[in-house]
Amino acid sequence: MTTQLALAPSGHLYLADHADRTASTPLDPSLCEAFARGQAPGILALAAWRGAASLLAADVAFWRDFGRAFLATLARAPVSDDATAVPLERMPEALGAELTLAIPAMPGAEYASPAVFGALWEDLRGHAQREATRAGAWRRWLSELNPALHLVGRVTFHLAENKRSPDTPFAFMATYTHRLSSRDLPVHLPLARALQDYAGANNQAALRSLLDPVQRAAEGSAWARELLNSRAVFAPQAWTPPEAYAFLREVPALEASGIITRIPNWWTNGRGARPQVSVRIGEKKQVGFGADSMLDFSVSATLDGETLTAAEWQAIQNAGPGLVSLRGQWVEVDANRLRSVLDHWKRVEEGELGDGVSFAQAMRLIAGAPIGAPDGNDDSADTPDWREVVAGAGLREVLEHLREPGNIAGFDPGRDLKATLRPYQSVGAKWMWFLQRLGLGACLADDMGLGKTIQVIAVLLQLKREAKSKAPALLVAPASLLANWQAELARFAPSLVAGVMHPSETPVAAFRDARRAGAFLAGKDLILTTYGQVARLGWLAEREWRLVILDEAQAIKNPAARQTRAVKRLRAPARIALSGTPIENRLGDLWSLYDFLNPGLLGGAQAFGRYVKRLQDAEPVNFAPLRALTRPYLLRRLKTDRSIIADLPDKVEVTAWCGLSKRQAALYQSSVDELGRNLSSVTDGMQRRGMVLAFLMRFKQICNHPSHWLGDGAFDPAASGKFARLAELGEEIASRGEKALIFTQFREMTEPLAVYLRDVFGRPGLILHGSTAIKDRQRLVAEFQRDDGPPFFVLSLKAGGVGLNLTAANHVIHFDRWWNPAVENQATDRAFRIGQMRNVLVHKFVCRGTIEERIDTLISDKKALSAQILDPGAGAEAALTEMSNDELLRFVALDLKSASEE
């Protein structure tokens, strides 16, 4: 039994089962499905089918051609004002008669007639109208059905070489696409045939539609107007090189008018191969680079990278603007422009750049970003296509290493690194190490959670092993991150001797001035300090540091800020900046960052501003040169990269250290003092436990925000270290369009957090707590899960910690701690669960120098006491109430130096 097409007496085309066609090729299942929906969908599915024609039986091929004839006629139809209205007339009577004679032997062939084909044509038109309405435009539906159909009914201008005629070596012809072949290739007919075919069919509207692009081109182009008025467009032409060149120069305008052009492949992107003035920079190898390092410089006239001979140069000079045959190929020449460009660069070579070109200037020239030149460019500004600036062998090797840092040899932090770098981390560390060897700055802009810290630590260990300088490296970070750095250094690089230049760790007298700081710096590999300290300690800029590293480098995005100016005065052979924020997308910040990393590379602030304005005002806007200039010194990997995803754990947990504001510290200390007084006067066990629990709750509230404890409703963001840390994280999450869950154990904190985060993210989020109606919860979840839904969700831990699927978020922030890992993990699993397609980052807020830090230490170190205090059954608070007075006071005591956020 086989399935084949059959024509019913009513003229309906359908699929029928026949036992006598066992030798025929079975119909493709997709075509069977289409015919099951109706004759019109089936015929058009056949017309769009891409299989080989040899796989089709003769009757199937016939109906395929019928469908294609319908689509070709539709494609040639004139465009109407209504994009959804199918502009198709009834089938021509002559076509019906032709099809009646041509139908092959098949069941029901005897029922074929012009009327039957006419009715089928109308059914196809009705189906096309429905599909066009669905797609929003009939031409859009045609493209969905078969992209090649847009060629049908289109005029094409062809230019080909004619090597048999030395005087007229080019041939021109205008054609139109009559239909598509069985292989979906356009079938061209001379444009003159259209005058006969369309006139013969009395279809003036279709002829006007066909020639409309030619008319539009004539309205905007004198060349096209002459071609049309002289009627040369309707006849083949033999052309000289100047005539061919005139046509090639008009190609963009012709294509904009709707004419298709077919031209030799040596003419691309609106131009042909050209001889050029080749400027070669950095042929010799150099040990180090800096913005002012001088590179060798040479100029020559070339074609395809090969220097032109004297005879070839003379042939170019003798030719006028246009096409010249050179080295067996046609090339575009303009002798006057080429000579002007060469003369300019020769003067430059012999004059101001006679001793070489600076590294910064070389990079700008190679990238095509003429920052700081008069009027934004050099004398050859109007002829950039007639010159090329390339890196010589020495410089090219350096740039290749920057593009493929995985191939860099000589980097090995060895056993001193107490961890194994993931492959992408090894690449990042090699890249930073290589750039600092060259004396160049590097910005590691990896996504949050990819381990920027450990990559820098690996570089520092390598520098220690090389022992080329006794000067320590200087790392500048926000105060809230100093503890993170100390913890990571202790964990991964205990051999690195680090000092912390901050009042929280070291008495100010030890580093207040250069004389006293000498003893403090002696023997150190790394000094940690803050942006605030750099602004206060002027002597830091008087020393030469081994390396200067900035964490959260967006802190220097404002070039006028006091701390930015102080940081840029720091001296070192090389500099590194760390930032999880894609600063390269914000041009206002970009200059300030690069002015720190590689001063002079982007010119002065005003020159850079003028250059950016020219880029923004250009038509079309093109920032490719600027990106090419900055990209070698910026490495950014995203968690969404497939190569990175495969190399990451599913969940990354980090401690987000927070300081206390002065008001928080004062309230916390007074509460500790009050607890001490009360403990000495209370003897009843039950009363003591209740009092201790009340104070533990108070300490948590003060760490959150003074207003949380005071109940005054003010919630000034500046009064809380946690709010400041939340802003830092929120801004970075928002900059990447990601989403976050924020958990707090206190219902009364949900509203203040949501109000604050609304300003951080720039739009409102959602809130869920115990009073949220059950019927509203699923609505809130569905709203958050939408791609365009709210960017954050603030939840109370009890209400939102279980039973919700919130996989739209890939950040979980525990604003305050439950002190029970099991409860926190349950909350984290709202995002980290089946359906989560990204890695989840868990940020656990901890205030330094407070009870929060001591609880976190117990959790992290898994000491014996941790199991007792954090017993899920008893709860942390209950265990703390059983401590002696002295133990409890030591546990909750404020370490003011550590807690300070200055």
Side-chain angles (χ1 to χ4, degrees):
M1 189 74 66
T2 185
T3 301
Q4 71 174 111
L5 291 172
L7 195 62
S10 63
H12 181 76
L13 187 68
Y14 67 102
L15 283 177
D17 292 332
H18 286 268
D20 58 348
R21 284 286 300 269
T22 55
S24 67
T25 303
L27 206 61
D28 186 87
S30 66
L31 298 176
C32 294
E33 293 175 7
F35 273 102
R37 298 195 300 272
Q39 63 179 2
I43 292 172
L44 293 180
L46 260 178
W49 192 64
R50 304 297 178 82
S54 59
L55 297 179
L56 299 179
D59 55 339
V60 178
F62 171 81
W63 290 107
R64 181 193 191 193
D65 291 342
F66 174 68
R68 288 193 163 207
F70 170 83
L71 293 175
T73 304
L74 177 57
R76 292 194 298 267
V79 178
S80 63
D81 293 335
D82 186 351
T84 59
V86 174
L88 195 65
E89 301 296 330
R90 294 181 181 276
M91 186 183 72
E93 292 183 8
L95 179 59
E98 180 183 331
L99 292 170
T100 302
L101 293 174
I103 189 170
M106 59 173 288
E110 64 272 22
Y111 305 122
S113 70
V116 165
F117 285 112
L120 284 170
W121 189 275
E122 288 303 305
D123 193 29
L124 290 175
R125 185 167 68 164
H127 178 73
Q129 183 61 71
R130 290 189 293 274
E131 290 297 297
T133 302
R134 174 194 60 78
W138 63 269
R139 285 199 177 277
R140 185 179 304 137
W141 168 68
L142 273 180
S143 296
E144 291 175 359
L145 197 65
N146 186 344
L149 284 168
H150 83 281
L151 298 173
V152 176
R154 300 279 298 278
V155 173
T156 302
F157 283 3
H158 304 260
L159 180 70
E161 292 186 58
N162 180 16
K163 297 183 179 180
R164 291 176 295 178
S165 175
D167 295 330
T168 55
F170 294 95
F172 169 83
M173 173 177 278
T175 67
Y176 76 102
T177 306
H178 176 62
R179 60 181 175 85
L180 297 180
S181 72
S182 60
R183 292 185 295 165
D184 278 346
L185 298 176
V187 176
H188 293 279
L189 294 177
L191 191 56
R193 275 283 300 272
L195 301 178
Q196 305 168 14
D197 294 347
Y198 285 92
N202 196 26
N203 193 345
Q204 293 299 311
L207 181 60
R208 284 195 298 272
S209 177
L210 176 70
L211 296 179
D212 185 59
V214 181
Q215 184 62 46
R216 284 200 302 271
E219 291 171 359
S221 164
W223 178 90
R225 186 161 55 252
E226 172 61 25
L227 192 72
L228 181 62
N229 291 342
S230 66
R231 300 186 66 80
V233 70
F234 297 108
Q237 305 287 319
W239 278 352
T240 62
E243 290 173 318
Y245 184 62
F247 163 66
L248 291 170
R249 295 288 298 273
E250 295 290 331
V251 164
L254 296 173
E255 292 182 341
S257 300
I259 298 172
I260 300 171
T261 61
R262 294 290 179 263
I263 56 181
N265 57 17
W266 44 260
W267 187 276
T268 58
N269 298 322
R271 51 160 287 183
R274 291 177 174 179
Q276 290 183 307
V277 174
S278 180
V279 180
R280 200 171 187 86
I281 302 175
E283 194 69 33
K284 301 174 184 176
K285 286 190 177 183
Q286 289 194 198
V287 176
F289 294 93
D292 298 326
S293 299
M294 302 305 292
L295 306 180
D296 58 284
F297 175 91
S298 63
V299 179
S300 61
T302 63
L303 177 64
D304 296 333
E306 297 293 328
T307 303
L308 292 172
T309 65
E312 289 168 337
W313 179 252
Q314 190 59 48
I316 291 172
Q317 297 304 301
N318 294 338
L323 300 175
V324 172
S325 181
L326 202 63
R327 296 181 182 173
Q329 63 175 317
W330 288 100
V331 298
E332 183 184 9
V333 300
D334 186 327
N336 291 335
R337 285 191 176 184
L338 197 57
R339 188 186 310 111
S340 173
V341 174
L342 183 61
D343 290 345
H344 165 76
W345 285 101
K346 283 293 186 182
R347 288 194 303 272
V348 171
E349 182 183 25
E350 296 166 1
E352 59 184 283
L353 299 183
D355 296 327
V357 58
S358 72
F359 178 80
Q361 190 173 2
M363 293 299 98
R364 293 197 290 266
L365 288 170
I366 291 171
I371 302 169
D375 297 323
N377 219 320
D378 50 51
D379 292 346
S380 56
D382 61 335
T383 55
D385 292 336
W386 297 96
R387 56 155 166 82
E388 61 174 354
V389 182
V390 298
L395 182 56
R396 185 170 61 248
E397 181 180 345
V398 170
L399 297 179
E400 287 173 355
H401 279 314
L402 294 181
R403 284 191 292 266
E404 298 292 339
N407 299 328
I408 295 171
F411 178 84
D412 180 17
R415 292 174 296 179
D416 294 332
L417 181 65
K418 305 303 180 184
T420 300
L421 294 175
R422 297 188 177 99
Y424 74 89
Q425 291 174 334
S426 178
V427 167
K430 287 181 179 179
W431 176 77
M432 286 186 287
W433 172 71
F434 182 70
L435 273 167
Q436 68 82 32
R437 281 182 62 198
L438 296 174
L440 297 172
C443 177
L444 183 63
D446 281 349
D447 215 346
M448 185 190 299
L450 293 186
K452 294 187 287 292
T453 303
I454 196 172
Q455 295 176 64
V456 171
I457 289 174
V459 173
L460 292 170
L461 285 170
Q462 177 78 13
L463 296 183
K464 180 172 182 176
R465 293 184 65 186
E466 294 171 356
K468 293 182 178 178
S469 172
K470 294 182 179 180
L474 179 68
L475 188 144
V476 186
S480 59
L481 297 184
L482 290 182
N484 294 61
W485 276 99
Q486 289 176 274
E488 299 287 86
L489 287 165
R491 178 183 178 188
F492 298 122
S495 64
L496 279 178
V497 182
V500 181
M501 205 149 49
H502 190 266
S504 64
E505 298 288 338
T506 307
V508 176
F511 58 81
R512 180 180 291 119
D513 55 58
R515 181 179 56 82
R516 296 183 182 182
F520 174 72
L521 300 178
K524 302 289 197 308
D525 301 309
L526 175 67
I527 299 299
L528 304 173
T529 193
T530 65
Y531 288 97
Q533 292 299 320
V534 172
R536 294 186 188 99
L537 303 174
W539 65 265
L540 293 176
E542 299 171 3
R543 292 186 61 92
E544 181 80 12
W545 301 94
R546 175 67 183 85
L547 179 68
V548 172
I549 305 158
L550 302 187
D551 196 4
E552 299 295 340
Q554 59 268 27
I556 65 166
K557 65 183 180 183
N558 181 0
R562 177 171 172 252
Q563 73 177 21
T564 300
R565 297 197 305 272
V567 165
K568 291 182 180 181
R569 285 194 293 267
L570 296 172
R571 295 160 48 198
R575 300 171 173 188
I576 290 175
L578 307 179
S579 175
T581 305
I583 314 173
E584 75 272 17
N585 291 333
R586 297 201 296 269
L587 296 178
D589 304 346
L590 185 67
W591 179 86
S592 189
L593 178 70
Y594 272 75
D595 189 47
F596 165 77
L597 291 175
N598 295 302
L601 182 69
L602 299 186
Q606 292 184 346
F608 182 73
R610 290 193 299 269
Y611 175 69
V612 168
K613 187 176 187 306
R614 283 191 296 274
L615 291 181
Q616 294 170 334
D617 293 344
E619 186 62 41
V621 175
N622 180 19
F623 282 92
L626 181 57
R627 292 194 178 276
L629 177 60
T630 58
R631 187 163 291 150
Y633 321 99
L634 188 143
L635 183 62
R636 178 163 176 79
R637 278 81 59 88
L638 303 176
K639 294 190 293 290
T640 51
D641 290 348
R642 293 191 176 275
S643 60
I644 303 300
I645 291 175
D647 198 36
L648 280 177
D650 295 326
K651 180 170 66 174
V652 179
E653 297 187 351
V654 295
T655 301
W657 297 100
C658 309
L660 294 182
S661 68
K662 291 180 179 179
R663 193 176 187 203
Q664 282 177 299
L667 284 172
Y668 191 102
Q669 184 59 55
S670 66
S671 297
V672 172
D673 295 341
E674 185 179 345
L675 174 62
R677 292 192 298 271
N678 291 352
L679 284 173
S680 62
S681 61
V682 175
T683 57
D684 180 74
M686 185 65 70
Q687 184 182 3
R688 180 182 184 276
R689 280 192 291 272
M691 180 191 66
V692 171
L693 286 173
F695 270 91
L696 292 177
M697 186 67 70
R698 184 195 296 190
F699 291 135
K700 280 188 175 184
Q701 292 171 329
I702 292 171
C703 286
N704 280 352
H705 196 288
S707 294
H708 188 189
W709 155 242
L710 297 172
D712 58 13
F715 287 100
D716 175 12
S720 168
K722 283 190 177 181
F723 271 58
R725 192 76 181 96
L726 186 61
E728 293 172 356
L729 277 176
E731 288 171 359
E732 191 165 346
I733 294 168
S735 72
R736 291 192 298 275
E738 297 177 339
K739 296 190 179 188
L741 306 179
I742 298 90
F743 285 102
T744 174
Q745 93 179 73
F746 302 98
R747 172 189 164 182
E748 61 268 24
M749 280 301 299
T750 56
E751 182 69 28
L753 286 173
V755 170
Y756 181 56
L757 287 171
R758 180 179 58 198
D759 293 333
V760 173
F761 279 85
R763 56 194 184 106
L766 301 174
I767 300 176
L768 187 149
H769 47 62
S771 297
T772 304
I774 299 296
K775 61 182 178 63
D776 291 334
R777 296 193 177 196
Q778 284 308 312
R779 176 184 59 79
L780 292 173
V781 169
E783 187 177 349
F784 183 74
Q785 289 291 95
R786 293 198 325 262
D787 287 342
D788 61 346
F792 65 88
F793 205 153
V794 182
L795 309 101
S796 67
L797 202 56
K798 279 190 175 180
V802 293
L804 301 178
N805 187 338
L806 298 169
T807 52
N810 65 318
H811 292 269
V812 176
I813 298 173
H814 292 287
F815 187 76
D816 44 55
R817 311 293 296 280
W818 190 260
W819 296 350
N820 186 329
V823 174
E824 285 188 346
N825 289 338
Q826 276 188 328
T828 296
D829 287 347
R830 299 315 94 218
F832 183 59
R833 60 193 298 112
I834 293 174
Q836 178 57 265
M837 305 302 292
R838 295 168 294 173
N839 300 94
V840 175
L841 265 71
V842 185
H843 312 269
K844 299 182 178 182
F845 279 24
V846 175
C847 282
R848 294 192 65 202
T850 70
I851 186 174
E852 290 191 336
E853 181 177 9
R854 295 180 184 96
I855 291 290
D856 183 73
T857 300
L858 294 177
I859 297 174
S860 302
D861 293 350
K862 299 180 181 178
K863 294 180 180 178
L865 185 59
S866 173
Q868 301 170 17
I869 293 179
L870 304 174
D871 175 57
E877 289 88 347
L880 288 171
T881 62
E882 303 306 316
M883 285 183 172
S884 68
N885 290 355
D886 289 341
E887 287 176 328
L888 181 60
L889 288 173
R890 283 197 301 269
F891 203 80
V892 302
L894 175 65
D895 182 349
L896 189 57
K897 289 184 177 180
S898 296
S900 172
E901 64 173 355
E902 292 298 319

